[in-house]
Amino acid sequence: MPLEIKNVLVCDAVDNSCVKLLQDHGINVDYKLKLTKEQLVKEVKGYDALIVRSDTKITADILDAGAGSLKAVGRAGAGVDNIDIQAATRNNVLVLNTPGGNSISACELTCFLIGALARPICPAAGSMKEGRWDRKLYSGSELYGKTLAILGLGRIGREVGNRMKVFGMRVIGFDPITTLAEARAAGIEKMELDQIWPLADYITVHTPLIPATRNLISATTLAKCRKGVRVVNVARGGIVDEAALLDALESGHCGGAAVDVYPEEPPKSETTKKLINHVRVVATPHLGKTILAIFSLQQTANSGCFFSVSLFSQTNRSIYVRGPGASRGGSRGTIHRPDGDVRGVHRVCRRR
């Protein structure tokens, strides 16, 4: 039977066309940004669904307060680490995400950052502006013949592999779900993690932040890597242990790092600030999804797919989401069902 959604609260900034799409389907939309947890606890009871991005944290207190009325929480983006999945399950609330909308943007930023670690363009350009000519200091190294390890072989990871092979890099990777045949078809040598660490010249992570991936790059794993390894994280803060990475940079064991995501955004901890300011670190303010051209499409499609009554249907086996621009050829998102089951679902992911 259809999931009846009449009132939606948008908690984070989205394009106006997103709100209009919901309204065009007869849904009442309230747009309230930067609510505190206490304010959201008071507000949630009046809504069938919430739309959030990464700024708003949907905690157990909020989900408990919405018990009996709240039916769904939609994450306009990939990660759901800002939503308490167990509390949602306990309160019969669907949690949905749409990971494909910024795949190309995140992929391209990853490739640029790998290049920036190989050839220190940023400090070289800065030195020129200061009137210096430090040609030898910033000569860098080639990517050709180097080994790139991709941890997480979903759509972004595979797209990164496709592009970096053009530079003559050997691409290896790990993913517990991707089969050997699927990796081989993408031109990636699938290996176990213990095989990867000593081989990689560059490591880039493209996984969700879940218990199994928290501190995936740690002091222990970095110690197994070859001296001079470079690390890139455009996925989620928390996948890389920042303190361990900083220690490896300061000891010289790690040759460089590029970081676009942080455990807390904007960064506040002293460790994060030291990492950002390290001479061998390229740090950016979560630019992986910040491409103006994709905002309207991504958020309109994501949020419209989530909550338009006519776009939802539920069976006793799985839930299918349809929406304007949706393609069955897209990347797989995740629906966390109230019964605890987790199903794959095709999502909007590319501009047409």
Side-chain angles (χ1 to χ4, degrees):
M1 59 180 293
L3 185 64
E4 188 175 18
I5 303 292
K6 294 181 178 179
N7 298 296
V8 171
L9 176 61
V10 177
C11 302
D12 292 324
V14 296
D15 191 85
N16 288 336
S17 57
C18 165
V19 176
K20 184 177 184 301
L21 178 61
L22 298 175
Q23 292 170 336
D24 287 347
H25 284 83
I27 296 172
N28 177 61
V29 181
D30 288 334
Y31 201 174
K32 300 179 182 180
L33 308 184
K34 299 186 182 298
L35 294 177
T36 65
K37 185 180 81 169
E38 292 73 22
Q39 290 173 322
L40 196 46
V41 164
K42 293 179 181 178
E43 293 277 354
V44 68
K45 194 69 176 177
Y47 296 96
D48 303 304
L50 305 177
I51 297 177
V52 300
R53 292 182 62 204
S54 57
D55 291 341
T56 299
K57 313 302 179 187
I58 304 300
T59 65
D61 289 342
I62 294 168
L63 291 161
D64 290 343
S69 58
L70 189 66
K71 301 180 181 71
V73 176
R75 166 71 166 92
V80 293
D81 45 287
N82 58 320
I83 302 169
D84 190 323
I85 301 298
Q86 290 185 342
T89 300
R90 186 175 66 248
N91 286 289
N92 294 317
V93 174
L94 292 173
V95 175
L96 310 95
N97 71 336
T98 54
N102 65 323
S103 294
I104 298 302
S105 173
C107 161
E108 290 182 351
L109 179 62
T110 300
C111 296
F112 293 143
L113 291 176
I114 292 171
L117 290 178
R119 305 299 297 269
I121 297 169
C122 298
S127 72
M128 290 289 287
K129 293 180 187 297
E130 294 170 0
R132 304 200 312 271
W133 184 262
D134 297 323
R135 185 178 179 185
K136 291 184 179 179
L137 181 61
Y138 299 118
S139 58
S141 60
E142 293 182 344
L143 291 174
Y144 183 84
K146 300 297 193 302
T147 297
L148 171 65
I150 302 174
L151 308 186
L153 300 177
R155 184 155 189 258
I156 297 174
R158 296 185 198 191
E159 293 282 3
V160 170
N162 286 338
R163 286 158 176 75
M164 299 316 296
K165 282 184 293 183
V166 175
F167 286 89
M169 298 191 82
R170 176 192 181 191
V171 180
I172 62 177
F174 169 80
D175 191 300
I177 297 174
T178 301
T179 66
L180 281 169
E182 289 171 335
R184 192 178 299 116
I188 299 171
E189 301 173 56
K190 183 182 177 182
M191 299 181 178
E192 295 302 316
L193 287 172
D194 283 341
Q195 296 175 289
I196 283 175
W197 305 126
L199 295 177
D201 296 297
Y202 292 81
I203 298 173
T204 179
V205 294
H206 299 285
T207 71
L209 178 62
I210 57 176
T213 62
R214 184 173 292 278
N215 294 334
L216 179 63
I217 306 295
S218 64
T220 300
T221 54
L222 285 168
K224 297 177 182 179
C225 295
R226 60 174 56 178
K227 183 177 174 61
V229 66
R230 292 167 169 84
V231 176
V232 179
N233 185 10
V234 182
R236 276 288 179 273
I239 297 173
V240 177
D241 183 333
E242 291 186 334
L245 179 59
L246 183 59
D247 287 344
L249 286 162
E250 291 182 342
S251 72
H253 184 69
C254 181
V259 185
D260 185 54
V261 289
Y262 310 89
E264 186 178 23
E265 297 181 359
K268 294 179 181 177
S269 81
E270 288 304 312
T271 299
T272 305
K273 291 178 180 178
K274 287 181 181 178
L275 182 66
I276 290 169
N277 288 304
H278 195 281
V279 67
R280 288 196 296 276
V281 170
V282 179
T284 50
H286 204 152
L287 300 180
K289 61 182 178 183
T290 310
I291 299 292
L292 185 60
I294 70 170
F295 267 144
S296 178
L297 173 66
Q298 179 186 343
Q299 296 183 49
T300 298
N302 288 352
S303 302
C305 284
F306 285 152
F307 300 120
S308 294
V309 175
S310 62
L311 308 182
F312 266 103
S313 65
Q314 182 172 356
T315 72
N316 60 356
R317 293 189 177 184
S318 59
I319 300 169
Y320 301 95
V321 178
R322 299 284 184 268
S327 167
R328 289 192 63 83
S331 63
R332 284 188 179 273
T334 304
I335 286 186
H336 300 265
R337 291 160 47 110
D339 59 9
D341 193 8
V342 177
R343 305 276 180 170
V345 60
H346 290 280
R347 292 289 189 222
V348 177
C349 62
R350 288 295 304 273
R351 285 166 282 183
R352 292 196 167 189

